[in-house]
Amino acid sequence: MKILTVGSGGREHAITWRLAQDEAKHELYCAPGNAGTAALATNLALGAEDVANIAAWAAENKPDLVVVGPEAPLCKGLVDALAEVGVKAFGPCAAGARMEGSKRFAKEVMNAAGVPTGRAQVFTDPAAAKAALPEYGLPVVIKADGLAAGKGVVVAETAEQAEAAIDDMLVGNKFGAAGAEVLIEEFLDGEECSILALVDGENAVLLPGSQDHKRVFDGDKGPNTGGMGAYSPAPVVTPAMMPDIKERIILPVVRELKKRGIVYRGVLYAGLMITPPGGKKALSGSAINVVEFNARFGDPETEAVLPRLGGDFAKVLLSCAEGNLSETDVVVKDEMAATVIVASGGYPGSYAKGKPIAGLDDAAQVPGAIVFHCGTKVQDGQVLTSGGRVLSVTGLGKDLRTAVDTAYAAVAKISFDGAFHRADIAHRAFNR
Ligand code: AMP
Ligand code: GLY
């Protein structure tokens, strides 16, 4: 098949890599891709959000499938534009991508479908928002409605912090239009996990659960990032929970969207809070609640989950796009995976770019390790850093310990000026 993957991060390298593992040989493209995808695919000089030019390329080159990685082009209607030129795409239409693009919309859909999630109210008036705070107790969660690059959520421990977050968004305009509406949400107690569900408009297949590490430093300290590592499976979500998650969370959302005229195809990523016995019970009464939905594969979850999949990945993605996904298409291998992000010093704040990266070949030689590129580029034959998250190093193994050790053995081979990583990936699994 001829397949274009849109995006330039570790997620898109992992998608491209997994497509390249299929038994059938594919003709692979990336827009714009990175130094890692360049080894497997033809990188096109098209920005991931350049909807018009990607659609024009697709109209001319007629790929069998376009796989859209990031949320921004989904929300901007790339899949709709591709449909107009008769090209199949893996990813929801813009109306479906609102499950990620608007937290208010996602809540409306969840509430209509009876899906367990934190209780929330929407406000545009700061005084009304503040007046509602006492109903929620502390901590309380303040969220900007729209896309805010992962920064639009404040878990406030005090009323002052909550009021300041409300003022930042509604008065100070901190997130522009994305923060013109604010949700006040019940705090959910427990441990998070990520469920990536493949959806074909009607049916869904859940990929194995995983867990992200959002804070920058060991022990979950420091500011939030795009994710500093992941592992799969995550023991917090037991195999016994999966049918429940599918029947009570994923499928009701897909059906509710369909009722509203939205045929959702692609990944529906559910960020879930699992409350342990003895934890603070959510108002929904459920021990599993939705924290958020995303309309795409997670990053770095994808780099941990996709290497665990066997079978024909292109066929699975195409079947979602065509509306004929079958349970039997998805094969999960008997291996566990851990992914460690190697980041640029200063991330998630400001950081330098253009640092030469050493040791990539040695790292790739470590048995069971795969080095995915997140923020890299090639210049005069040298791979340079070009982002905050630079590399996503995955280790595979028969158990989680082996997977983690493999990932760190490969990370140890890599160096660039200012490089750092978390040393405790999968700590929650090991501490159980
Ligand atoms: P989001 O952008 O919705 O993924 O939120 C970012 C992070 O904030 C989540 O990964 C959680 O760690 C935290 N968070 C969001 N909503 C809640 C909630 N209702 N209760 C507890 N933590 C939350
Ligand atoms: N790793 C979190 C996300 O992709 O949103």
Side-chain angles (χ1 to χ4, degrees):
M1 278 197 249
K2 187 173 185 176
I3 307 170
L4 168 67
T5 300
V6 174
S8 63
R11 166 181 51 211
E12 289 76 23
H13 188 186
I15 292 168
T16 306
W17 175 89
R18 185 57 195 81
L19 289 169
Q21 304 299 304
D22 280 356
E23 232 174 80
K25 282 288 151 252
H26 306 301
E27 187 182 331
L28 299 173
Y29 295 86
C30 274
N34 59 34
T37 63
L40 303 167
T42 304
N43 283 348
L44 306 175
L46 292 170
E49 295 180 39
D50 188 352
V51 170
N53 282 312
I54 292 173
W57 183 90
E60 193 179 326
N61 293 278
K62 307 246 173 303
D64 299 290
L65 183 68
V66 176
V67 184
V68 185
E71 62 276 16
L74 292 167
C75 291
K76 281 187 168 178
L78 178 56
V79 172
D80 311 73
L82 290 167
E84 273 177 34
V85 296
V87 172
K88 288 173 189 150
F90 178 85
C93 55
R98 290 177 71 210
M99 288 302 292
E100 173 164 3
S102 167
K103 293 186 194 291
R104 165 224 264 270
F105 176 74
K107 276 290 175 204
E108 269 171 33
V109 169
M110 282 188 270
N111 290 338
V115 169
T117 183
R119 176 178 172 251
Q121 284 168 277
V122 183
F123 296 92
T124 51
D125 174 43
K130 288 174 195 171
L133 283 175
E135 291 171 45
Y136 288 81
L138 288 170
V140 60
V141 186
I142 314 296
K143 297 187 174 182
D145 169 62
L147 290 181
K151 300 194 173 92
V153 176
V154 175
V155 178
E157 302 286 343
T158 65
E160 291 71 32
Q161 284 170 4
E163 293 190 357
I166 290 167
D167 281 338
D168 279 346
M169 294 181 201
L170 291 180
V171 184
N173 231 355
K174 188 168 179 186
F175 301 111
E181 290 185 322
V182 157
L183 278 76
I184 298 185
E185 185 172 302
E186 171 193 1
F187 175 81
L188 300 166
D189 184 29
E191 188 175 333
E192 284 178 81
C193 72
S194 304
I195 297 293
L196 306 174
L198 302 175
V199 177
D200 74 350
E202 199 145 337
N203 297 312
V205 176
L206 274 50
L207 298 183
S210 57
Q211 190 171 60
D212 187 8
H213 298 60
K214 290 201 163 111
R215 304 295 200 94
V216 69
F217 298 128
D218 286 8
D220 297 320
K221 302 268 184 347
N224 267 324
T225 67
M228 291 298 291
Y231 63 99
S232 173
V236 63
V237 43
T238 62
M241 290 178 189
M242 295 299 263
D244 219 33
I245 293 168
K246 179 172 171 180
E247 297 300 330
R248 289 176 51 228
I249 293 174
I250 302 295
L251 290 179
V253 165
V254 173
R255 287 189 203 113
E256 177 63 30
L257 289 172
K258 201 166 178 196
K259 254 205 255 171
R260 295 169 183 233
I262 300 168
V263 180
Y264 193 100
R265 290 179 173 157
V267 177
L268 185 61
Y269 158 159
L272 303 177
M273 189 70 80
I274 316 276
T275 307
K280 181 172 170 276
K281 216 174 163 130
L283 292 169
S284 70
S286 173
I288 306 178
N289 286 278
V290 176
V291 174
E292 59 159 349
F293 279 112
N294 293 315
R296 50 165 176 88
F297 283 114
D299 197 350
E301 291 95 325
T302 304
E303 293 96 298
V305 172
L306 294 198
R308 300 187 60 212
L309 301 183
D312 188 342
F313 191 51
K315 176 171 173 248
V316 170
L317 299 183
L318 184 66
S319 68
C320 289
E322 291 179 333
N324 54 24
L325 174 67
S326 138
E327 197 78 44
T328 55
D329 290 343
V330 179
V331 183
V332 181
K333 293 197 268 189
D334 206 14
E335 274 181 319
M336 301 196 177
T339 299
V340 179
I341 295 284
V342 184
S344 299
Y347 175 78
S350 60
Y351 51 82
K353 293 184 187 177
K355 304 288 182 192
I357 307 172
L360 288 170
D361 291 340
D362 287 348
Q365 301 284 313
V366 172
I370 315 163
V371 180
F372 296 116
H373 292 227
C374 311
T376 64
K377 62 172 186 184
V378 187
Q379 204 171 299
D380 304 326
Q382 169 69 53
V383 181
L384 303 176
T385 68
S386 71
R389 292 193 292 178
V390 176
L391 298 164
S392 203
V393 181
T394 295
L396 290 166
K398 61 183 189 318
D399 52 38
L400 198 56
R401 177 50 72 190
T402 313
V404 167
D405 289 348
T406 300
Y408 280 114
V411 166
K413 309 270 186 202
I414 295 169
S415 59
F416 56 86
D417 186 19
F420 77 99
H421 62 267
R422 272 184 67 161
D424 64 347
I425 296 308
H427 68 96
R428 286 181 200 276
F430 294 132
N431 288 340
R432 274 174 174 258

